[in-house]
């Protein structure tokens, strides 16, 4: 038996093999060099034939790699990879490829109950999801301390059954790109519910920048292992380990050319406070460096309302995290934030069920920033504060024709403070691209906050229907 295992292991090692991403129905990123790679017998020659082009490479250390030139969109076309054996792919596409990553809000499927909720309109959307030029790849959940060379998964055509199990936010994003770009679109889903940023970062980045957070995660892991060893009656929840999803779900993807990333995460890092922006910026920078494709687009979703609802101004860790996200969008090149402060469903639910609006807003950001379409995609953002007597005048960028509220209702969510720093609820009057904020309790305004609560009650929009970004004018400006 041992001899059989050894002989078959040797035969397997010498076979021409492809990683899961290089498979039937895949989408290669248009206008960028496309890397085709795999494993084969040492010293052999591997040849790839695609769209009338043939390129060859020698196998070194059991691995080979071929770089195809940038290509225009289209397909499907056949591809053959040959060496000792021949691998034939019948349908290969060229188009737009996006990675969809993050935590549970990205995982949340289009038409299956998840974390106690169904996506609004998900069943109807899944029933209509029949588009062979929208291709879906779900990376299997792998947690490991060792960088992996491959993932488990396969490219699938978008059909009602495959779309139903795929990320709702990702699906709606991809559906909109397909409608407006009219090219094949490939979506790679690599996400895990509850995951903090630290599990998506490399060990080297954590060691250089966040050694204390890395050490704390390792201590929790050691405590977990000890609890298992003692045979405790109540099995403890498995804690996350630093870098485990970077190793298992991101590292194997790094050779595959992508246009960019959509990211839906942050709930698990609310406690990071003013470290949030630095961590997020570092993650973005590391992924860009690892892919080697320059500062590719990184589009992300703002934290939605969740938690305590209060009629009075409060301090809010969720608002700090939202402000940190806005800081990243304002300071990190080629990033954009999709607002969701208007999408709260339930103070006890951090997973907005309206994933169609989330996906549409992400797609609008992509269409504007990446594909050069002149479409509106963002909400009003704080631009400056002027004090006029007992009134604070808040100016906004991206008001796009004026500020508005649904049904012309009074603007909600504003608070004002004097020199003592004590915030009170404020009256707010809309005038063109500004809001005049005041309170009979504050004679000398010094600062204004908007939407500053875990679950803010807000209703300020521009005329294109995008919500204003929560902000505070107190506190020193800074870089992440």
């Amino acid at each position: 038996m041992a001899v059989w295992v050894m002989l078959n292991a040797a035969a397997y090692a010498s076979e021409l093999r492809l990683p899961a991403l290089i498979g039937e129905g895949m989408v290669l990123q248009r206008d960028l060099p496309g890397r085709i790679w795999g494993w084969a017998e040492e010293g052999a020659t591997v040849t790839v034939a695609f769209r009338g082009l043939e390129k060859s490479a020698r196998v070194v250390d059991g691995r080979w790699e071929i770089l195809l030139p940038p290509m225009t969109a289209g397909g499907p076309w056949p591809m053959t990879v040959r060496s000792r054996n021949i691998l034939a792919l019948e349908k290969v596409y060229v188009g737009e490829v996006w990675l969809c990553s993050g935590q549970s809000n990205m995982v949340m499927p289009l038409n299956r109950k998840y974390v106690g909720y169904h996506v609004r309109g998900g069943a109807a959307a899944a029933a209509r999801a029949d588009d062979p030029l929208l291709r879906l790849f779900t990376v299997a959940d792998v947690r490991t301390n060792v960088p992996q060379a491959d993932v488990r998964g396969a490219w699938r055509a978008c059909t009602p059954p495959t779309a139903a199990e795929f990320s709702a936010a990702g699906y709606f994003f991809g559906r909109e790109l397909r409608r407006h770009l009219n090219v094949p679109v490939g979506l790679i889903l690599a996400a895990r519910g509850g995951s903090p940023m630290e599990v998506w970062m490399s060990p080297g980045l954590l060691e250089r920048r966040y050694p204390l957070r890395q050490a704390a995660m390792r201590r929790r892991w050691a405590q977990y292992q000890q609890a298992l060893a003692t045979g405790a009656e109540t099995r403890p929840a498995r804690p996350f380990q630093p870098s485990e999803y970077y190793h298992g779900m991101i590292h194997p993807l790094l050779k595959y050319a992508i246009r960019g990333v959509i990211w839906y995460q942050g709930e698990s890092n609310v406690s990071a406070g003013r470290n949030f922006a630095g961590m997020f910026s570092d993650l973005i920078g590391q992924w860009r460096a690892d892919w080697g494709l320059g500062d590719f687009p990184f589009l992300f979703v703002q934290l939605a309302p969740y938690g305590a609802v209060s009629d009075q101004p409060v301090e809010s860790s969720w608002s700090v995290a939202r402000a940190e996200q806005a800081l990243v969008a304002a300071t990190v090149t080629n990033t954009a934030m999709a607002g969701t402060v208007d999408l709260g469903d339930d103070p006890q639910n951090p997973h907005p069920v309206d994933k169609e609006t989330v996906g549409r807003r992400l797609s609008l950001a992509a269409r504007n920033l990446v594909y050069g379409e002149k479409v509106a995609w963002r909400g009003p953002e704080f631009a400056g504060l002027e004090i006029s007597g007992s009134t604070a005048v808040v100016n906004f960028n991206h008001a796009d024709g004026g500020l508005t509220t649904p049904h012309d209702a009074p603007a909600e969510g504003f608070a004002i403070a004097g020199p003592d720093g004590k915030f009170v609820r404020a009256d707010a009057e809309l005038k063109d691209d500004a809001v005049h904020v005041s309170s009979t309790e504050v004679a000398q305004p010094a600062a204004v906050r908007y939407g500053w609560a875990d679950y803010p009650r807000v209703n300020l929009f521009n005329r294109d229907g995008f919500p204003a970004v929560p902000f505070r004018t107190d506190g020193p400006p800074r870089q992440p």
Side-chain angles (χ1 to χ4, degrees):
M1 178 63 71
V3 172
W4 184 90
V5 171
M6 290 177 64
L7 289 174
N8 279 272
Y12 181 72
S14 66
E15 278 188 353
L16 175 64
R17 294 185 292 122
L18 298 171
L21 273 174
I22 309 298
E24 184 66 40
M26 68 176 171
V27 182
L28 298 175
Q29 176 59 50
R30 65 172 170 173
D31 302 329
L32 288 178
R35 187 174 280 106
I36 309 297
W37 75 95
W39 303 269
E41 183 179 10
E42 184 67 21
T45 297
V46 177
T47 300
V48 173
F50 184 57
R51 293 181 71 175
L53 175 73
E54 285 197 359
K55 294 195 74 173
S56 299
R58 297 280 289 178
V59 180
V60 179
D61 294 332
R63 299 182 179 91
W64 58 271
E65 184 176 298
I66 288 171
L67 202 62
L68 298 177
M71 295 184 179
T72 56
W77 295 288
M79 174 184 285
T80 60
V81 184
R82 66 178 185 271
S83 183
R84 176 176 166 179
N85 54 310
I86 298 177
L87 302 177
L89 307 180
E90 295 182 1
K91 294 181 178 181
V92 173
Y93 303 81
V94 179
E96 292 296 302
V97 182
W98 286 81
L99 173 65
C100 312
S101 192
Q103 58 180 111
S104 55
N105 267 304
M106 184 60 83
V107 175
M108 195 170 184
L110 181 61
N111 188 27
R112 176 168 55 82
K113 193 172 185 179
Y114 181 73
V115 291
Y117 297 88
H118 278 100
V119 167
R120 182 184 301 151
R128 297 190 297 268
D130 193 2
D131 183 355
L133 297 185
L134 178 58
R135 317 293 298 182
L136 311 175
F137 188 106
T138 299
V139 176
D141 189 317
V142 173
R143 307 170 74 158
T144 175
N145 290 323
V146 180
Q148 300 297 295
D150 201 0
V151 295
R152 298 196 309 272
W155 288 99
R156 306 294 185 196
C158 177
T159 64
T162 58
E165 294 295 319
F166 197 76
S167 160
Y171 166 76
F172 286 121
F173 171 79
R175 185 190 71 179
E176 293 302 302
L177 292 190
R178 279 282 302 124
R179 288 177 175 177
H180 294 279
L181 301 180
N182 196 30
V183 299
V185 171
L187 302 177
I188 302 170
L189 176 63
R192 175 61 160 82
S195 57
M197 281 186 272
E198 293 91 326
V199 304
W200 300 102
M201 295 175 169
S202 72
L205 174 59
L206 290 175
E207 288 166 5
R208 290 192 308 272
R209 301 280 289 159
Y210 307 101
L212 296 181
R213 300 184 76 88
Q214 185 184 52
M217 294 182 77
R218 287 174 172 166
R219 283 196 299 272
R220 288 192 292 271
W221 178 256
Q223 292 165 357
Y224 167 76
Q225 295 285 71
Q226 185 177 13
L228 293 182
T230 58
E233 292 185 7
T234 303
R235 184 182 180 88
R238 184 192 189 282
F240 288 105
Q241 293 188 74
S243 306
E244 62 182 348
Y245 283 125
Y246 175 83
H247 286 149
M249 300 174 72
I250 297 300
H251 185 270
L253 311 180
L254 296 177
K255 292 178 182 289
Y256 203 83
I258 60 174
R259 176 65 71 194
V261 174
I262 58 172
W263 175 264
Y264 201 164
Q265 190 272 350
E267 295 85 353
S268 291
N269 285 102
V270 166
S271 63
R274 286 200 164 194
N275 288 321
F276 188 110
M279 292 176 62
F280 192 22
S281 300
D282 283 342
L283 182 146
I284 294 170
Q286 183 211 326
W287 282 21
R288 286 171 167 174
D290 289 350
W291 251 280
L293 298 174
D295 291 340
F296 56 59
F298 205 105
L299 315 179
F300 58 93
V301 183
Q302 180 187 41
L303 292 177
Y306 171 68
V309 180
S310 175
D311 291 332
Q312 299 300 321
V314 294
E315 297 301 321
S316 164
S317 58
W318 281 70
S319 290
V320 171
R322 292 187 193 105
E324 294 285 289
Q325 290 178 308
L327 179 61
V328 170
T331 58
V332 178
T333 300
N334 217 13
T335 63
M337 181 178 73
T340 60
V341 74
D342 59 325
L343 300 185
D345 305 301
D346 177 346
Q348 304 305 313
N349 176 25
H351 307 90
V353 297
D354 182 4
K355 290 293 187 281
E356 185 168 12
T357 297
V358 172
R360 180 176 60 83
R361 288 175 180 172
L362 287 168
S363 74
L364 287 167
R367 288 169 58 196
N368 184 292
L369 300 174
V370 181
Y371 301 111
E373 295 187 47
K374 295 186 181 300
V375 295
W377 66 273
R378 68 199 307 179
E381 298 174 3
F382 172 74
L385 181 68
E386 302 173 12
I387 304 300
S388 177
S390 60
T391 299
V393 181
V394 181
N395 296 301
F396 287 87
N397 292 325
H398 314 299
D400 296 333
L403 301 168
T404 186
T405 60
H407 313 295
D408 293 323
E412 297 181 285
F414 284 90
I416 193 169
D420 61 0
K422 181 181 179 182
F423 282 88
V424 298
R425 291 179 63 183
D427 297 319
E429 182 182 2
L430 276 56
K431 293 186 178 181
D432 298 323
D433 294 351
V435 178
H436 292 234
V437 183
S438 62
S439 170
T440 57
E441 299 179 49
V442 178
Q444 297 179 313
V448 172
R449 292 180 178 181
Y450 171 72
W452 203 261
D454 291 356
Y455 195 103
R457 301 290 193 185
V458 291
N459 65 347
L460 185 64
F461 295 79
N462 60 23
R463 295 196 180 276
D464 288 310
F466 297 95
V469 177
F471 66 88
R472 65 177 177 184
T473 67
D474 55 313
R478 64 189 187 88
Q479 294 291 316

